[in-house]
Amino acid sequence: MSQQAHESAPVAEPDHLLCDKLATACRILAREGHNDTVYGHVSARASSAGCFWLKGAGLGLEEIGPDDFLELDFDGNVLAGTRGRHLEYPIHGEIYRCRPDVAAVVHTHPMYATVFGAALAELRPLTHEGAFFVPPPIPKFTQTSDLIITAELGAAVAQVLGQHKAVFLVNHGIAVVGHSIEEACVTALLFDKACRAQLIAQAAGAVTWTSDAEALRKRAHIYTPQALQQIWSYHCRTLERARP
């Protein structure tokens, strides 16, 4: 059974609200282990056709505010914003070009998911989080571990991602997508947690995991759209409580 993408494009939010929510997603990801100094970036499809908002370069995820985004077209031309442009904008532009259902993209280097991507093993549904992603198997992009700085490489990442929620960029990081900013953010958090759990389990010895049929039932029961929104809201509250 494959993970099916919605055929229709997501409903666009006003850009000022979108950038505010995107900044919140950046800060949540930073708190939950996705920060890597100034590396890594998050984007959301803009209200204008063929455009997206991308985190500005030179800042950590935890530093991002609503004014720290650039509006780009799918070819990477800067339409608005004053920050520097990340070199890896093609990851985002080419995924949006190939996946009209995707509203947001996360590319980060979380420790556990990045290490797991380099392991000679497949992610399995050992935990609830694992069941959110498999079956089918999560793909691995192996064409290069270097930066994705050309349209050709971005398109290759999008092709390997296919209709999945996530892809391992082997020896590099991850790319995760969602039908909303909230979904993409929460999916990235669950992905790293699933990888962490399996790495710990494998280090302890032989492991067992849920059958594909049961994993699909668990996914339907546990990770409903309402549940994903509740997880997002929890992290927003946690972020607010942490403010000085």
Side-chain angles (χ1 to χ4, degrees):
M1 178 175 179
S2 62
Q3 296 173 0
Q4 296 296 322
H6 299 302
E7 293 299 328
S8 58
V11 177
E13 295 185 77
D15 286 342
H16 70 285
L17 296 178
L18 184 151
C19 288
D20 186 66
K21 188 181 293 183
L22 199 54
T24 298
C26 286
R27 296 195 297 273
I28 289 171
L29 288 163
R31 275 183 56 86
E32 298 300 317
H34 287 251
N35 209 26
D36 183 18
T37 65
V38 299
Y39 302 108
H41 24 89
V42 183
S43 71
R45 192 183 293 269
S47 60
S48 301
C51 300
F52 63 99
W53 290 94
L54 178 67
K55 168 193 170 290
L59 296 173
L61 291 169
E62 82 283 0
E63 299 178 294
I64 295 297
D67 297 326
D68 294 316
F69 295 96
L70 300 176
E71 186 176 21
L72 308 178
D73 65 21
F74 289 173
D75 295 321
N77 297 304
V78 178
L79 307 176
T82 60
R83 294 288 181 186
R85 185 188 64 180
H86 279 284
L87 294 174
E88 291 191 300
Y89 69 84
I91 293 175
H92 304 263
E94 297 306 319
I95 288 175
Y96 290 127
R97 200 191 304 272
C98 293
R99 291 278 302 271
D101 62 301
V102 166
V105 178
V106 175
H107 168 55
T108 52
H109 313 131
M111 179 63 71
Y112 297 102
T114 301
V115 170
F116 191 92
L120 299 179
E122 287 187 1
L123 186 66
R124 302 288 188 179
L126 273 67
T127 61
H128 292 339
E129 294 83 11
F132 183 58
F133 294 96
V134 291
I138 294 296
K140 292 188 176 186
F141 176 78
T142 60
Q143 184 171 331
T144 182
S145 65
D146 201 352
L147 300 185
I148 308 301
I149 60 174
T150 67
E152 291 75 17
L153 284 173
V157 170
Q159 182 177 16
V160 173
L161 171 68
Q163 300 304 312
H164 294 267
K165 298 179 177 75
V167 58
F168 291 107
L169 307 182
V170 175
N171 305 123
H172 179 164
I174 61 172
V176 174
V177 301
H179 300 120
S180 66
I181 294 171
E182 298 96 318
E183 183 181 328
C185 178
V186 171
T187 298
L189 301 182
L190 295 174
F191 194 41
D192 194 47
K193 187 174 180 182
C195 292
R196 179 182 183 181
Q198 187 164 333
L199 286 171
I200 292 170
Q202 289 175 171
V207 299
T208 185
W209 54 82
T210 299
S211 69
D212 284 0
E214 188 168 6
L216 292 171
R217 288 195 297 271
K218 290 174 68 173
R219 184 186 303 171
H221 293 154
I222 299 168
Y223 296 112
T224 62
Q226 181 183 17
L228 295 178
Q229 185 65 45
Q230 289 171 345
I231 295 170
W232 163 266
S233 297
Y234 165 79
H235 283 289
C236 288
R237 295 193 301 271
T238 300
L239 197 66
E240 185 63 29
R241 287 194 297 270
R243 293 181 62 181

